[in-house]
Amino acid sequence: MSGPLVVLGASGDVAAAAATLPVQVVHVRLPGAPRPVDATAVAYDVDYQHPPAFLPFVDEVLAPLAPTAVVSLTELGLEPASAAAERLGVTGVPLQAVRDTRDKLRMRRLLDRAAPHLNPPYAPGDAPPDVVGALFTGNAAVVAKPVAGTGSLAVSLLRRPEDLPDSRRSPGTMLERYVSGREFSVEALSGGGRHRMLGIAEKRTSPDGFVELAHLMPPPGLTEADRRRVERAVAELLDAVGLVDGPSHTEVKLGEDGRVTVIETHNRPGGDGIADLVRLTTGIDWRRAALGWAVGERLPAAVKQPGVPEAGTAAGPAAVAGPREAAGPPRGGAAAARGVRRAAAAAPVEGRPRWLRRPRCSSRRRPAA
């Protein structure tokens, strides 16, 4: 009998998906996190973001369990899960690949070597003034963001080099020339270096372009040729960062000239209800698949769902996540949130768009599925 699957930082949705797998599941949660609803699951509380506490736990508690794999679908659990898997010699995402996706500057440099056409002009925040100034050539705008940030935090648009404050002229800041075009996110599952694209969502963002308000899947008006360009770019990126196994969520821009530019990638499913869009449009439980690969589960074939248009159609219903509240609790409180989940689970009606609204209580995006 194979050992258990260890999952770090599972949300309620992820824990529910893990409970459907044909293996024992061991949850590792931060102290104070809610217990998983699966009464059969084993759960431990430990600060996995603190190596002096987590590594002895790996050696003394997890090692005797002889787990099959250690994974996480939450941003803050990605590196600890990979570190634990490597320490135990079990299945997991390679730690170097995780670090190369979370560090935006490192990702850009890997793309420079393997697929430079996917990069915009960029520089670290502490680059010489002439290098920073060159990013603004032709009155171009420049995006400043943390090298290791997530969820659109501390992202700003600069119009002139003087707009960059001294506090951000550091190696912790990434500067990239702003790229115009339609923005898409791509969900993929990799196995042995082969990348299967499960869904493409088009984003609707705030006027500044940095806060996601809605996702549409499949994207209306995305031609077959452009879809292939986007998928080819994602595969090149995943090869460049060495992400050969496991889930990924990649954000790209598609210019009017057909050029695809990578924004960033993560070795987890997208948040903001994207996993639900994949299920609604393909029938694939994305959260289960994002866990199940580690214990040998094969991804089922996608099945086009009733009422979902083909990709590339100029009009027609699409599954939509959002818009979400920019601030404040959802109207109707918990009852409204429960109603959203019931609506998302309901069978779609032929020919009608399917809306999935995920209320939120801050301007930050959720870091995990």
Side-chain angles (χ1 to χ4, degrees):
M1 182 176 177
S2 60
L5 171 67
V6 178
V7 182
L8 271 60
S11 65
D13 288 338
V14 171
T20 68
L21 293 170
V23 295
Q24 182 188 7
V25 178
V26 173
H27 288 285
V28 178
R29 316 165 306 164
L30 292 173
R35 286 193 60 83
V37 294
D38 179 13
T40 65
V42 177
Y44 295 96
D45 293 353
V46 64
D47 186 356
Y48 51 74
Q49 298 179 59
H50 185 55
F54 183 56
L55 295 181
F57 169 83
V58 172
D59 295 337
E60 298 166 13
V61 178
L62 295 185
L65 299 177
T68 297
V70 184
V71 297
S72 179
L73 302 187
T74 185
E75 188 70 32
L76 297 179
L78 299 177
E79 283 197 44
S82 293
E86 286 198 359
R87 193 175 184 90
L88 296 171
V90 302
T91 298
V93 178
L95 181 58
Q96 190 60 52
V98 177
R99 289 173 173 167
D100 288 342
T101 59
R102 300 195 74 221
D103 186 309
K104 296 179 177 65
L105 183 58
R106 190 177 297 175
M107 181 200 74
R108 291 289 178 212
R109 288 171 173 165
L110 288 171
L111 280 179
D112 269 345
R113 294 199 289 268
H117 55 283
L118 299 179
N119 270 340
Y122 72 94
D126 61 347
D130 60 324
V131 174
V132 173
L135 296 178
F136 294 85
T137 300
N139 294 320
V142 170
V143 177
K145 57 187 179 181
V147 166
T150 61
S152 301
L153 298 177
V155 178
S156 56
L157 191 66
L158 312 177
R159 299 292 180 181
R160 305 170 304 162
E162 304 81 55
D163 294 339
L164 181 65
D166 290 342
S167 62
R168 305 201 68 179
R169 298 177 186 270
S170 72
T173 295
M174 181 80 175
L175 303 174
E176 299 176 348
R177 183 176 294 169
Y178 178 78
V179 176
S180 61
R182 298 169 68 188
E183 188 168 355
F184 300 93
S185 64
V186 183
E187 306 303 297
L189 185 64
S190 302
R194 300 184 65 181
H195 315 296
R196 178 172 167 185
M197 309 299 160
L198 300 184
I200 301 177
E202 184 169 5
K203 296 185 179 184
R204 295 288 187 261
T205 60
S206 59
D208 63 10
F210 300 138
V211 178
E212 297 170 5
L213 302 178
H215 298 81
L216 295 87
M217 183 184 291
L222 182 67
T223 67
E224 181 66 18
D226 283 340
R227 182 189 63 80
R228 287 196 297 267
R229 289 187 183 97
V230 168
E231 293 185 348
R232 187 182 310 118
V234 171
E236 288 183 274
L237 165 67
L238 298 178
D239 286 343
V241 299
L243 191 56
V244 295
D245 293 296
S248 60
H249 166 76
T250 303
E251 299 167 4
V252 302
K253 282 279 191 78
L254 176 66
E256 291 185 1
D257 59 356
R259 179 183 174 181
V260 180
T261 302
V262 168
I263 305 301
E264 61 187 35
T265 191
H266 310 267
N267 68 297
R268 56 166 174 78
D272 295 336
I274 288 179
D276 298 294
L277 296 188
V278 172
R279 176 178 55 80
L280 288 169
T281 56
T282 70
I284 293 174
D285 186 335
W286 186 203
R287 296 183 183 92
R288 175 183 168 125
L291 298 168
W293 71 272
V295 292
E297 283 261 306
R298 298 193 63 167
L299 189 65
V303 177
K304 183 178 179 295
Q305 302 299 292
V308 177
E310 297 289 350
T313 54
V320 182
R324 292 167 30 152
E325 299 287 346
R331 293 173 184 170
R338 287 195 296 271
V340 170
R341 291 187 178 275
R342 285 197 294 269
V349 178
E350 181 72 32
R352 294 185 184 176
R354 289 170 297 181
W355 293 85
L356 174 62
R357 177 187 171 112
R358 290 267 185 171
R360 80 177 184 184
C361 299
S362 75
S363 60
R364 294 203 266 183
R365 291 179 355 208
R366 290 193 311 172

